[in-house]
Amino acid sequence: MADLNSTPKAGRVHIGFFGLRNAGKSTLLNAFSSQDIAIVSDVAGTTTDPVSKAMEISQLGACMLIDTAGLDDIGVLGLKRVKKTLSVLSTCDIAVWVEDGFSDASGYEERFMKECSRLNVKVFRYRRGDDVEKLKKDIAECKIEDEIPGLLDGLVKKGDRVLFVCPIDQSAPKGRLILPQVQAIRECLDIGAIAEVRQPFSLQGDLGVFDLVVTDSQAFAEVAPKIPPQVRLTGFSVLFARQKGDLAAYVRGLERIGELKDNDKVLIAEGCTHRRHCQDIGTVKIPRALEKLSGKKLQFVFSSGGDFNVESDVSLIVQCGGCMLSRREVLRRIALSNSVDVPIVNYGMVLAAAAGISVESLLPSDAKE
């Protein structure tokens, strides 16, 4: 079982090790982490799939180290491994280009550096035999990005009362809450506010005593009518969209739903992988809500985890809140959608609009400016 005190994957600095086969990537990762994480061999192509390890490194804090297959891999399977390696790059905050000092990697390196530049990934170079501790020190001194805002920044202060509505249904993991709920409740407690947790059916009594109500997006239709008008209501997905994404881009995407035509293709992108069930949010509820809002019969394609490829015939992207994704990765997804002129919207906003709730009322004041 994972350490309950560990930092979630999305909150870690992602460091990927890239280069040609047998350049020494796995050896460097093991030395960097001071552990035998990756298999090391003189046989070219030993690493066939990305190998990830979450670690706490004294100079760096919470990290996710990722070993990758060589970019010069060959054959049908080799080309698939190269594609997977490049998909890992899109999730990285830092890339380490590893070379052995005698192989001619110039062509591969040039293409790799261009891709890093396009994705705004910081790159460090390492040649076999260089000082590993110096590399760690250089990376530790590197500023990755501005501090990520809190989920409840500007919404909750010490002493406020916050009601979290957490349905326990088929999608709820047995014996625990889902990550967005846990993180929001924890942040509320860190602020010094008073957190109360209920299910939708138990929303009774004087709810006007609360300063904020945060609900699972799937329960908007049931929850919204019960909340007094003077109490602010929002959703977990909207909070994460604000923290990790671009609410203005999502609002523009929501407005474009009315422009969809029959048989338009919609990409529904989830940042995690989980067991599907008969009322799954991504494959059932979001498609149902989109067809209700657009009045059209649509085609749906789905992606999950780190996979995110926008085909040329996609008309709309619906992105989850991104609790399992880093802010950098969510912003890259939005940037990619903008670059191909495909509107993108957030799960929670779609479900709220389908429930007849004004999305404007769910947004924090700083998102309306």
Side-chain angles (χ1 to χ4, degrees), residues 335-355:
L336 177 59
S337 71
N338 290 337
S339 71
V340 294
D341 194 29
V342 176
I344 185 168
V345 66
N346 168 264
Y347 269 31
M349 293 182 180
V350 170
L351 293 173

Side-chain angles (χ1 to χ4, degrees), residues 27-37 55 57 65 132-133 136:
T27 300
L28 174 58
L29 184 144
N30 289 344
F32 195 93
S33 64
S34 300
Q35 293 187 25
D36 289 332
I37 297 170
M55 297 197 67
I57 298 179
L65 306 183
V132 177
E133 292 304 315
K136 291 168 74 169

Side-chain angles (χ1 to χ4, degrees), residues 169-188:
D169 52 22
Q170 287 181 303
S171 63
K174 186 175 181 179
R176 59 187 176 86
L177 299 175
I178 62 174
L179 185 60
Q181 296 165 354
V182 172
Q183 290 185 321
I185 293 169
R186 172 58 189 264
E187 187 169 314
C188 179

Side-chain angles (χ1 to χ4, degrees), residues 162-163 165 210-215 223 227 231-235:
V162 183
L163 175 60
V165 184
F210 293 101
D211 298 283
L212 176 70
V213 176
V214 185
T215 182
V223 173
I227 306 303
V231 177
R232 177 182 289 279
L233 170 68
T234 192

Side-chain angles (χ1 to χ4, degrees), residues 219-225 233 254 349 351-362:
F220 270 132
E222 184 177 359
V223 173
L233 170 68
L254 184 67
M349 293 182 180
L351 293 173
I357 300 169
S358 168
V359 173
E360 182 78 7
S361 68
L362 303 177

Side-chain angles (χ1 to χ4, degrees), residues 49-67:
D49 292 302
V51 176
S52 300
K53 176 65 175 179
M55 297 197 67
E56 304 285 331
I57 298 179
S58 58
Q59 301 100 316
L60 304 172
C63 301
M64 179 68 69
L65 306 183
I66 311 168
D67 193 15

Side-chain angles (χ1 to χ4, degrees), residues 262-274:
D262 280 325
N263 296 314
D264 274 354
K265 184 180 289 187
V266 178
L267 169 62
I268 299 178
E270 286 195 354
C272 62
T273 56
H274 60 264

